[in-house]
């Protein structure tokens, strides 16, 4: 995902940690899935979606999402069906538990819509999935993100599975995929190779 504050020092540290099998120092390493992104919350007893700052403050219900993507073929189906299935799944969970997770609209579950009709580059097969990534908390006055609570994504997926709502009409709701990384053989040589590449790019473009 985009990180506009990353430094070249950060990049080099990511290379080192990746090759040494230590990239999970702070939290589990998640696979980035190739689909359409959607953020969903639970506010005032309703399931709502956000795509920008305006809709973080005032989330779109299922009908509003359908209107937003109307006439866009498979994209319309992907977002409309995703919202329908998510609403059915989330409303199976007690309101008190949803309020704890979503803080009445201050938190959003960030997810990837993996739908065969809207594949980007990677084809995952004939099934459709909603894969949870993390829960983002916002300051609702400014609609700016305050923090991400990674552990809430698998927790919410488990809550949905516990009430047998993880397999819906069109989508299966799945947790983040946590990767196990191992130290690469001769990682010191590989570190120097890749770090030199980054350093060279800095010199070429005077960054």
């Amino acid at each position: 995902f985009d990180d506009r504050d990353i430094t070249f020092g950060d990049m080099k540290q990511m290379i080192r940690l990746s090759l040494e099998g230590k990239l999970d120092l702070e939290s589990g390493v998640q696979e980035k899935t190739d689909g359409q992104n959607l953020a969903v919350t639970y506010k005032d007893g309703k399931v709502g979606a956000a795509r920008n700052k305006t809709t973080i403050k005032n989330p779109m219900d299922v009908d509003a999402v359908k209107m937003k993507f109307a006439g866009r073929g498979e994209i319309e189906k992907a977002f409309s069906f995703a919202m329908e299935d998510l609403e059915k799944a989330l409303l199976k969970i007690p309101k008190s538990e949803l309020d704890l997770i979503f803080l009445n609209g201050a938190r959003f579950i960030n997810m990837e819509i993996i739908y065969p009709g809207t594949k980007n580059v990677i084809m995952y097969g004939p099934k459709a999935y909603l894969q949870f990534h993390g829960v983002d908390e916002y300051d609702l006055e400014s609609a700016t993100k305050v923090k991400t609570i990674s552990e809430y994504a698998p927790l919410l997926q488990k809550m949905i599975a516990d009430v047998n709502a993880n397999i819906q009409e069109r989508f299966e709701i799945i947790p983040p995929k946590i990767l196990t990384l191992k130290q690469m053989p001769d990682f010191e040589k590989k570190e120097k190779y890749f770090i030199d590449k980054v350093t060279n790019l800095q010199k070429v473009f005077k960054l």
Side-chain angles (χ1 to χ4, degrees), residues 8-129:
F8 285 100
D10 293 333
M11 290 184 195
K12 291 171 186 175
Q13 181 68 350
M14 285 167 67
I15 291 169
R16 291 188 191 97
L17 292 174
S18 298
L19 295 172
E20 291 173 23
K22 297 177 181 176
L23 200 58
D24 58 354
L25 277 177
E26 294 181 4
S27 63
V29 180
Q30 291 187 24
E31 177 184 9
K32 172 67 176 75
T33 334
D34 185 40
Q36 282 79 39
N37 189 255
L38 182 65
V40 169
T41 191
Y42 178 76
K43 183 177 182 179
D44 299 332
K46 295 179 181 178
V47 175
R51 294 277 291 174
N52 52 39
K53 287 195 171 189
T54 301
T55 48
I56 284 167
K57 294 179 181 180
N58 297 294
M60 300 178 284
D61 63 14
V62 176
D63 290 337
V65 170
K66 287 179 180 178
M67 283 179 62
K68 181 175 176 61
F69 293 99
R72 294 182 61 184
E74 293 296 319
I75 290 280
E76 177 186 354
K77 291 179 186 175
F79 281 93
S80 299
F81 295 160
M83 280 297 290
E84 287 174 355
D85 278 5
L86 266 174
E87 185 172 64
K88 288 174 191 169
L90 288 173
L91 293 181
K92 287 273 186 79
I93 299 170
K95 182 180 184 301
S96 58
E97 292 182 27
L98 290 176
D99 287 337
L100 280 173
I101 294 277
F102 292 106
L103 288 184
N104 198 39
R107 291 181 184 151
F108 287 77
I109 179 79
N110 194 293
M111 73 192 72
E112 211 73 25
I113 301 172
I114 304 166
Y115 186 70
T118 57
K119 73 179 180 72
N120 285 334
V121 177
I122 300 169
M123 182 62 187
Y124 291 98
K127 289 188 176 181
Y129 300 98

Side-chain angles (χ1 to χ4, degrees), residues 46 72 79 96 108 130 155 164 169 176 190 203:
K46 295 179 181 178
R72 294 182 61 184
F79 281 93
S96 58
F108 287 77
L130 296 174
L155 173 66
N164 296 314
E169 185 177 348
K190 291 187 174 73
K203 289 176 182 174

